[in-house]
Amino acid sequence: MSTWEYAPAPESREIAGLKPTYRPFIGGEFVDGTGEPLKSVNPATEEVLAEVGTASASDVDAAVKAARRAYDKTWRRMPGTERAKYLFRIARLIQERSRELAVLETLDNGKPIKESRDADVPTAAAHFFYHAGWADKLDYAGFGPDPQPLGVAGQIIPWNFPLLMLAWKIAPALATGNTVVLKPAETTPLTALVFAEICQQADLPPGVVNIVPGAGDIGAELVNHAGIDKIAFTGSTEVGKLIQRSVAGTPKRLTLELGGKAANVVFDDAPLDQAVEGIVNGIFYNQGHVCCAGSRLLAQESVVDELLEKLRYRVSTLRLGDPLDKNTDIGAINSAEQLAKIRELTESGVAEGAEQWTSPCPVPERGFFFAPTVFSNVEQSMRIAREEIFGPVLSVLTFRTPAEAVAKANNTPYGLSAGIWTEKGSRILWMANRLRAGVVWANTFNRFDPTAPFGGYQESGFGREGGRTGLEGYLDV
Ligand code: NDP
């Protein structure tokens, strides 16, 4: 069956309300950061979107002090019922400004508009709604009769889900009575600074939320600042380890949400067409820039040929291109550096003897794009089976028995997520009990909900975000 030709359906970039300059947000005001300004680039076109003022060490200090004042004078004393109203207001404002945020996120990050519009922004709002509900019920959350906040939280987030990761961090911190200083990623600071406007619109007391754009050194300043009580980090395992070393021996609390190399396990009794949709969602969603991406497909040997045929056909129908086009499935890679990393790891796959298949889709000449790629005949020792590629590249391995599937799935230093595809409920439970992963999806993949705790173990980090369990990381319990 051939695919339909779609006419272009671009979303208007005017909706983003792009401004020529953005500035750090400290103590309830936008201020001139004293760091070197950075330029945020649209990865789909390589054009400069805006100049962003960055924080220096002294700005980080000012932000931490503003957060401390707000914590002592206002936020920790405020009844949970009142804090809840602010969170609820923020959630409503995210909804009201959702089109603007979605377009801005797509311009700054390169992700398809259908994802920023239908997933990132609504889920960010959902996190604030959900945590608004907890703010006045902490006494009944199972952490004792009167659980106390930690104080000032330093939060560092990556570029793959800029607004959503901000919501995962800020919503639980505020609901539990903490104040925050957040550093967005260098390549995607814009929606965080529009979020700062939303804090002003919501009349959030000054200093409760502070946003300090900057590079990794500003993240390190935040980590090492003596006025910080808790660090929450999402990003690479490498930087996570650095942060853990810096925090060791201090009273600072720490939660780390790091990389992954998740196994998506398909048994021969699985409905294959449905599994193909889950595999595609698992690895090609957000260009594969997903810490819990199903980047290792483990297919039962008896169905691997049929599965690969269906998968290649389906992947060849994915539309790659302008992220603002509503029909686009695969947008741009976030940066030239990330594209180079994906290329290097892909080349290593070929050099080590795996069989590469790449979608024949047209690839724009300008911008950072990488066509969806599937490697078969992958051995466990190959780098593409072990390392996080963080791009639209799937490695396919095979197994014969459930025990072999478990052994191969667990053969990784990570432990963030896993997927199981089978029609047998008993097999799902048997597998889920044995897979060493923080999240196990059955006959689905990449499902996110504020009520469900998310996090990993081993080199994927520790601590949970979301759900009742996620509150624990911001309470003195
Ligand atoms: P990083 O871990 O470097 O970045 C995550 C955040 O930490 C960013 O805000 C970054 O700032 C900041 N940061 C960098 N160095 C330090 C430091 N020493 N102390 C404190 N904060 C710091 O990830 P990258 O963006 O460099 O991506 C590299 C690889 O990491 C990817 O290829 C991917 O494999 C993995 N990754 C995993 C993610 C996940 O969710 N598990 C998310 C992002 C990346 P800045 O943006 O300025 O560098």
Side-chain angles (χ1 to χ4, degrees):
M1 195 180 78
S2 61
T3 53
W4 289 32
E5 287 299 321
Y6 279 34
E11 183 59 283
S12 165
R13 59 177 283 160
E14 303 307 315
I15 297 167
L18 205 57
K19 289 181 285 197
T21 52
Y22 289 79
R23 295 188 295 161
F25 183 67
I26 297 174
E29 302 288 335
F30 289 97
V31 299
D32 289 327
T34 50
E36 193 62 32
L38 63 85
K39 290 184 177 16
S40 206
V41 169
N42 179 347
T45 58
E46 300 177 51
E47 67 174 317
V48 172
L49 289 169
E51 185 169 284
V52 180
T54 68
S56 63
S58 63
D59 297 323
V60 169
D61 185 50
V64 173
K65 286 184 174 141
R68 175 66 57 193
R69 272 195 304 278
Y71 177 71
D72 287 336
K73 295 213 167 103
T74 328
W75 201 245
R76 72 173 303 182
R77 296 161 183 245
M78 192 182 279
T81 44
E82 292 302 309
R83 285 202 309 273
K85 290 180 192 168
Y86 286 103
L87 286 152
F88 193 75
R89 235 180 263 165
I90 290 171
R92 290 298 304 269
L93 286 162
I94 292 175
Q95 285 186 321
E96 275 173 28
R97 297 180 70 170
S98 61
R99 281 189 80 196
E100 171 194 353
L101 286 164
V103 176
L104 188 61
E105 193 78 307
T106 284
L107 285 172
D108 204 21
N109 169 279
K111 64 175 67 204
I113 185 72
K114 69 174 182 187
E115 291 181 9
S116 49
R117 181 197 60 200
D118 299 346
D120 294 54
V121 177
T123 316
H127 271 265
F128 281 95
F129 278 123
Y130 173 75
H131 286 95
W134 269 122
D136 62 350
K137 300 174 195 71
L138 298 174
D139 292 357
Y140 314 104
F143 303 116
D146 185 22
Q148 294 300 307
L150 295 173
V152 177
Q155 308 183 315
I156 300 165
I157 55 170
W159 43 262
N160 53 344
F161 292 94
L163 184 70
L164 185 56
M165 287 300 105
L166 172 150
W168 278 30
K169 296 275 177 288
I170 293 184
L174 263 45
T176 45
N178 301 273
T179 56
V180 306
V181 180
L182 177 134
K183 191 198 91 65
E186 199 180 349
T187 57
T188 54
L190 301 188
T191 47
L193 295 166
V194 171
F195 177 83
E197 289 175 17
I198 287 176
C199 292
Q200 283 185 327
Q201 270 181 288
D203 272 335
L204 193 70
V208 172
V209 167
N210 304 272
I211 313 272
V212 288
D217 58 329
I218 292 306
E221 288 291 341
L222 197 52
V223 168
N224 293 318
H225 197 290
I228 291 285
D229 299 297
K230 190 243 159 72
I231 289 289
F233 172 79
T234 297
S236 62
T237 296
E238 191 189 353
V239 173
K241 285 180 181 173
L242 280 177
I243 292 177
Q244 193 171 13
R245 274 197 282 274
S246 307
V247 167
T250 74
K252 290 173 194 165
R253 304 282 183 94
L254 178 65
T255 44
L256 296 174
E257 200 264 276
L258 309 175
K261 191 74 188 174
N264 204 358
V265 185
V266 179
F267 285 94
D268 58 5
D269 64 342
L272 291 190
D273 291 316
Q274 192 185 328
V276 164
E277 292 307 312
I279 296 162
V280 166
N281 174 274
I283 185 62
F284 300 119
Y285 179 66
N286 200 29
Q287 295 74 245
H289 301 327
V290 185
C291 46
C292 54
S295 52
R296 283 185 300 150
L297 171 63
L298 297 188
Q300 197 151 19
E301 210 172 84
S302 46
V303 287
V304 68
D305 291 339
E306 188 185 350
L307 188 65
L308 272 175
E309 194 186 326
K310 284 176 183 284
L311 182 64
R312 286 181 187 138
Y313 171 72
R314 179 67 181 95
V315 176
S316 69
T317 66
L318 297 175
R319 292 177 169 81
L320 178 144
D322 179 7
L324 275 182
D325 192 313
K326 293 168 199 157
N327 297 321
T328 293
D329 299 303
I330 312 266
I333 302 301
N334 182 247
S335 64
E337 292 73 35
Q338 189 60 27
L339 182 59
K341 183 184 163 188
I342 296 168
R343 285 191 176 137
E344 194 266 319
L345 271 158
T346 304
E347 281 160 20
S348 84
V350 175
E352 289 187 298
E355 191 180 317
Q356 178 181 357
W357 176 90
T358 295
S359 169
C361 62
V363 177
E365 281 182 11
R366 238 180 133 207
F368 314 130
F369 289 92
F370 195 88
T373 294
V374 178
F375 275 107
S376 50
N377 292 333
V378 176
E379 302 287 338
Q380 292 188 84
S381 57
M382 294 177 183
R383 285 181 64 202
I384 55 168
R386 293 184 288 118
E387 294 180 29
E388 187 177 44
I389 302 175
F390 225 60
V393 182
L394 178 68
S395 300
V396 184
L397 299 96
T398 60
F399 67 92
R400 289 184 181 169
T401 64
E404 187 186 354
V406 169
K408 283 187 168 166
N410 288 340
N411 185 14
T412 170
Y414 296 110
L416 195 54
S417 67
I420 308 165
W421 296 84
T422 172
E423 66 167 20
K424 292 190 182 64
S426 56
R427 181 176 279 166
I428 290 170
L429 295 175
W430 188 90
M431 291 286 292
N433 274 331
R434 288 162 179 77
L435 290 172
R436 292 202 307 264
V439 180
V440 179
W441 284 293
N443 294 327
T444 187
F445 210 92
N446 273 344
R447 288 261 174 179
F448 303 105
D449 191 287
T451 63
F454 182 91
Y457 51 108
Q458 302 196 105
E459 294 209 355
S460 292
F462 46 79
R464 294 291 178 267
E465 294 183 291
R468 188 194 70 84
T469 324
L471 301 171
E472 194 173 344
Y474 290 97
L475 289 171
D476 189 13
V477 289

